[in-house]
Amino acid sequence: MSINTAPSADHVAIIMDGNGRWARHRGLDRLEGHIKGVDRVREIVRAAPGYGIGHLTVFAFSTENWKRSEHEVTGLMSLFRRYIRGEAMTLHEDNVRVRFIGRRDQLDNRLDTLMKWLERLTSKNNGLQLTVALNYGGRDEISRAVQRIARAVQQGMLQPDDLSEGTISNFLDTAELPDPDLIVRTSGEHRTSNFLPWQSCYAEYVFIDTAWPDFNVSEFVRVLNIFRNRDRRFGDVISL
Ligand code: FPP
């Protein structure tokens, strides 16, 4: 058997779907699925560097998720606070740098303060670059970037003719990050749901049926191998 020498993905982004269905199938409250989902986040964060991954981005809460019941939204917000408090020291010891992307002004002060604290605590770490998309929506991110660009033009700091793809990337929440190589969505849905639309232009997508609470390290390895077998051409011709 030939050895697959294709490069592994540097930046993997995950749409962690299926927590609610996983819980309902077991007669549990949807929040139980999210709680189990946190365990999976912990495992994948731990495992990722061992597979050559430098950047991991996870979609924790979308700008559309506010439509869910108050019980679920409140439960998720409290879970995020608990995750930060409970995991901060381990993440820091493991040299993980944590960033949050998404809209901050709609978040509860307690959560926002914890997010800023964790970002500051881990800001010098150069191991895994973990990004948590929280109250994130791609169109919202682009709209906020356009507002900032318009202000910069208004203040004379930027000329309209100088605007390039690179300028737009630099105004997004992900300015410091490379584009994702691989985007994984769990739980059988074949949608991208407003996740990193600008950044994902050349990403490979892998959609798998496994629900996020069942997405263990061997499932992770399985999707990384699917990625390695893809032929990425970035608009160039096929190499034979
Ligand atoms: C989608 O499943 C999942 C979410 C909206 C929340 C994701 C959150 C976690 C995995 C918990 C913690 C994350 C971090 C970073 C600490 P769904 O509820 O839409 O599932 P369904 O489609 O089956 O209803």
Side-chain angles (χ1 to χ4, degrees):
M1 202 169 81
S2 65
I3 296 166
N4 188 341
T5 54
S8 62
D10 169 57
H11 186 176
V12 178
I14 311 181
I15 303 175
M16 308 180 289
D17 196 13
N19 297 348
R21 276 166 286 167
W22 182 91
R24 301 312 303 206
H25 286 155
R26 288 161 179 76
L28 302 168
D29 188 283
R30 292 174 56 84
L31 279 174
E32 296 294 332
H34 298 313
I35 291 168
K36 184 76 180 165
V38 177
D39 294 342
R40 294 308 187 196
V41 172
R42 196 178 295 119
E43 286 169 23
I44 301 301
V45 166
R46 272 252 145 133
Y51 296 99
I53 291 156
H55 297 81
L56 179 71
T57 298
V58 292
F59 203 0
F61 193 87
S62 78
T63 46
E64 289 74 36
N65 286 153
W66 297 105
K67 294 179 204 149
R68 296 184 175 205
S69 72
E70 200 188 327
H71 168 72
E72 186 171 348
V73 170
T74 313
L76 275 167
M77 295 300 151
S78 130
L79 208 54
F80 298 143
R81 291 197 303 272
R82 232 190 304 157
Y83 173 77
I84 296 175
R85 283 201 207 93
E87 291 299 307
M89 289 309 158
T90 309
L91 290 165
H92 189 37
E93 280 159 23
D94 289 346
N95 197 22
V96 176
R97 178 170 181 181
V98 185
R99 293 179 178 85
F100 292 92
I101 56 170
R103 200 166 157 180
R104 300 282 178 103
D105 61 350
Q106 294 167 330
L107 296 175
D108 162 306
N109 264 339
R110 288 173 299 170
L111 177 57
D112 187 42
T113 305
L114 281 167
M115 287 158 66
K116 285 185 184 130
W117 169 72
L118 183 58
E119 284 181 321
R120 239 189 343 262
L121 175 73
T122 62
S123 63
K124 302 265 183 328
N125 294 346
N126 58 8
L128 181 73
Q129 304 290 295
L130 171 66
T131 302
V132 180
L134 210 165
N135 196 23
Y136 176 86
R139 288 184 173 184
D140 175 73
E141 178 192 33
I142 292 169
S143 309
R144 287 185 285 105
V146 171
Q147 283 175 358
R148 289 199 290 268
I149 290 171
R151 253 180 247 123
V153 169
Q154 204 173 35
Q155 290 162 4
M157 286 152 62
L158 203 62
Q159 296 306 311
D161 289 343
D162 294 340
L163 270 179
S164 63
E165 290 184 14
T167 324
I168 295 171
S169 295
N170 287 337
F171 276 85
L172 294 174
D173 296 353
T174 51
E176 295 178 354
L177 304 173
D179 285 345
D181 300 295
L182 166 63
I183 300 191
V184 181
R185 183 173 189 146
T186 59
S187 209
E189 307 292 349
H190 295 193
R191 287 189 292 276
T192 59
S193 297
N194 207 7
F195 186 47
L196 304 173
W198 173 273
Q199 301 86 340
S200 65
C201 288
Y202 286 101
E204 294 291 326
Y205 279 91
V206 174
F207 298 99
I208 54 159
D209 288 337
T210 313
W212 177 252
D214 289 328
F215 190 86
N216 54 23
V217 174
S218 59
E219 289 289 286
F220 189 47
V221 172
R222 187 161 74 87
V223 298
L224 294 178
N225 284 334
I226 295 173
F227 172 84
R228 276 169 174 263
N229 286 312
R230 297 266 174 95
D231 184 24
R232 299 182 86 199
R233 297 203 292 278
F234 302 99
D236 203 346
V237 290
I238 194 161
S239 52
L240 294 171

